Amino acid sequence: MLLNANNNTVWATIADFFVRFFNPKLEGYTNFEFGEGILSLPIIIFGIFIGVWVASFSAIFIKTTLGKMVRALLAKEAFAPESAQTLAALGLERHFFIRRALVSGYTLRRVVRCVEMEEFSKSEGGGEKNLPELSERHFYIPEKDRYAAEMRFSEKGSGYGTFLFVILGSIIAIFLIFAFLPQLLTFFDNVISIFSWKGNLAK
């Protein structure tokens, strides 16, 4: 019973520390006025970092996961309809995300072309309804888009390990920002006041 009470006290102390740490008193500034609730500065800071995490994950997902098809086509040197490859030939016939991206997405379609879709779009009354099953279609990367595909979907410098690094770096940055936030705001508040004072003197 005593152990549980001690544990509750420890967790309460930790929770109180984080609440106070991430909700500093931002008062007494001449040139800054901060709101409360959803428009408070801490919420805005966290929102910015969440946006960075989402954007980073999206970019890494596109390069690492969807990029598998682009890199497979590049490895097969499928740069024309004559050398186009099926998903089975690329070893991706069961890849859920790539199949979804080819059907309803635009990321892969920017550099990957479908032979059957091009043929049906040129023919009278052509359309996606008349296309064969996805597993029977042939895909390639036009020679003119080869360089763009290599650069955009290169595996170098990307990976979920990179995303983990971004998360850890962001967490450190968040703690540093909140640790020095009052001092930083005081510094910028003083700088703005000095320039405002000089501006008023000039008038």
Side-chain angles (χ1 to χ4, degrees):
M1 193 73 176
L2 182 60
L3 183 61
N4 288 335
N6 289 335
N7 285 337
N8 290 336
T9 302
V10 170
W11 285 113
T13 302
I14 294 173
D16 182 64
F17 165 78
F18 279 105
V19 169
R20 287 186 288 105
F21 184 80
F22 290 114
N23 289 279
K25 289 185 179 180
L26 304 176
E27 301 173 346
Y29 301 107
T30 304
N31 302 286
F32 299 118
E33 186 175 345
F34 302 103
E36 297 181 356
I38 195 169
L39 295 178
S40 65
L41 186 58
I43 295 297
I44 293 173
I45 292 173
F46 277 111
I48 291 172
F49 277 99
I50 290 173
V52 170
W53 295 341
V54 171
S56 298
F57 179 82
S58 177
I60 290 170
F61 175 80
I62 289 172
K63 270 195 168 189
T64 304
T65 303
L66 300 186
K68 285 182 179 180
M69 182 175 187
V70 175
R71 291 189 292 274
L73 288 171
L74 291 171
K76 293 281 188 178
E77 297 186 351
F79 303 126
E82 296 75 23
S83 57
Q85 305 288 319
T86 63
L87 290 177
L90 299 173
L92 301 170
E93 68 274 17
R94 297 185 181 277
H95 199 296
F96 173 79
F97 293 110
I98 287 177
R99 293 177 69 91
R100 291 300 302 168
L102 289 171
V103 172
S104 59
Y106 294 97
T107 303
L108 287 178
R109 288 185 178 186
R110 291 177 180 176
V111 293
V112 176
R113 301 289 184 269
C114 174
V115 175
E116 288 76 13
M117 186 173 291
E118 290 180 332
E119 290 175 351
F120 276 105
S121 64
K122 293 177 183 177
S123 63
E124 186 178 349
E128 293 194 23
K129 292 182 179 179
N130 300 319
L131 288 171
E133 293 293 325
L134 190 63
S135 58
E136 299 175 6
R137 301 180 197 177
H138 295 76
F139 302 93
Y140 72 99
I141 298 173
E143 183 66 43
K144 65 181 181 65
D145 296 323
R146 178 178 179 176
Y147 179 77
E150 289 175 346
M151 292 298 100
R152 182 171 184 183
F153 294 95
S154 172
E155 209 167 12
K156 294 180 180 179
S158 65
Y160 293 105
T162 304
F163 180 66
L164 180 60
F165 177 78
V166 170
I167 292 289
L168 293 176
S170 299
I171 291 174
I172 294 172
I174 287 173
F175 273 93
L176 289 174
I177 288 172
F178 278 95
F180 297 101
L181 186 59
Q183 294 90 328
L184 288 172
L185 289 174
T186 299
F187 171 76
F188 286 114
D189 189 52
N190 291 335
V191 170
I192 293 173
S193 295
I194 291 171
F195 279 100
S196 298
W197 178 70
K198 287 183 177 181
N200 292 331
L201 284 180
K203 293 179 181 179

